[in-house]
Amino acid sequence: MKILFLFTIISLSLFARINPFVSTETYEEQKTQMLKKLYEKEALEEAKKSLIAAEEKKKQEVLSSETKEETVEKKIYHKVKKGCQEKYQYTPLAFVKIETSIDTMKIYIDSKFRLLSQDILVENNKFVFDFKANLIFYTKREQLCHNYFKSFAIGNHPKEGYFRMVVALEEDIKNFEESVDTKNSIITIYRKAPAK
């Protein structure tokens, strides 16, 4: 009887090793290790995805904040004409320098020339400035590629003892204001922000 019992146990254990459908301890260990590696890999992938998503979100926030700053700086109503320079410098004569930015034009005049008069030509959208001087020079004209400032001209009137500067605008002159700093000889023309 003992022999039969022993024979049965040996047969079953041999059958368990031969039969591929019966689990062994090694198989269970390998299965556990493989599942563990799989879970670790999935966790690592999830961590990578989270990190990439966080970096992308941070990048979008930075871009959004830069765009907001630009919008504030350039003002919401500003649109650039194709091929135009918004920042522009022009020196038509040694005693006159012009600078434009997004919505402003500054004209620097040598302080030895005194402003005689200034005028606004509403129907032509032009600012006119006359300066006392006894100079002889050829008229200088410059077409500007700018959203708001169309052209600049400076002409000589030696018999009358002055020279004249004219700034032509691209749109209604009512959208603009000018200020004259006589102490520093600077004329500033700027576009007013549109009413909300």
Side-chain angles (χ1 to χ4, degrees):
M1 184 81 172
K2 282 184 180 179
I3 294 170
L4 184 64
F5 179 72
L6 221 100
F7 182 75
T8 306
I9 290 182
I10 290 172
S11 297
L12 282 172
S13 84
L14 281 175
F15 176 74
R17 291 180 182 229
I18 293 168
N19 187 348
F21 300 106
V22 177
S23 299
T24 62
E25 287 179 27
T26 307
Y27 171 76
E28 288 298 326
E29 283 178 26
Q30 286 177 345
K31 181 176 150 187
T32 305
Q33 296 245 340
M34 285 178 69
L35 285 172
K36 187 177 176 184
K37 283 181 183 177
L38 185 64
Y39 291 136
E40 285 174 358
K41 188 176 179 182
E42 284 178 1
L44 187 62
E45 288 297 318
E46 285 299 318
K48 280 182 183 176
K49 284 179 186 175
S50 296
L51 186 62
I52 289 168
E55 286 177 359
E56 189 62 32
K57 186 178 178 184
K58 191 174 181 180
K59 190 190 288 184
Q60 289 299 326
E61 286 172 357
V62 168
L63 286 173
S64 175
S65 118
E66 286 174 359
T67 306
K68 283 177 188 171
E69 286 172 14
E70 283 176 17
T71 303
V72 169
E73 182 185 331
K74 292 186 177 180
K75 306 212 171 32
I76 296 165
Y77 57 82
H78 180 70
K79 292 180 184 173
V80 179
K81 284 184 183 176
K82 192 173 183 181
C84 285
Q85 295 178 327
E86 296 304 285
K87 292 190 177 181
Y88 182 83
Q89 286 189 354
Y90 173 54
T91 308
L93 296 162
F95 54 90
V96 178
K97 179 182 165 189
I98 298 152
E99 289 180 356
T100 63
S101 63
I102 292 161
D103 57 2
T104 306
M105 175 185 278
K106 285 189 179 278
I107 304 168
Y108 302 89
I109 302 102
D110 191 314
S111 59
K112 67 183 174 185
F113 302 111
R114 184 173 56 85
L115 181 67
L116 289 175
S117 66
Q118 63 188 76
D119 198 7
I120 296 171
L121 304 177
V122 176
E123 54 284 342
N124 297 322
N125 296 319
K126 291 181 179 179
F127 286 102
V128 179
F129 304 93
D130 291 338
F131 288 85
K132 184 166 180 54
N134 290 313
L135 297 172
I136 297 174
F137 61 86
Y138 292 110
T139 299
K140 305 282 184 181
R141 288 186 179 87
E142 182 77 3
Q143 286 297 124
L144 305 174
C145 187
H146 194 281
N147 269 10
Y148 307 125
F149 305 107
K150 187 176 185 178
S151 65
F152 174 86
I154 182 167
N156 192 15
H157 298 272
K159 287 181 183 177
E160 292 83 7
Y162 71 94
F163 66 86
R164 174 171 285 172
M165 288 191 303
V166 179
V167 177
L169 305 171
E170 289 283 2
E171 57 183 58
D172 195 329
I173 202 162
K174 292 174 187 168
N175 297 336
F176 294 82
E177 285 187 13
E178 88 280 4
S179 68
V180 180
D181 177 353
T182 51
K183 184 180 177 185
N184 297 303
S185 298
I186 301 170
I187 297 170
T188 306
I189 302 169
Y190 59 93
R191 188 180 191 280
K192 297 183 277 189
K196 292 182 179 178

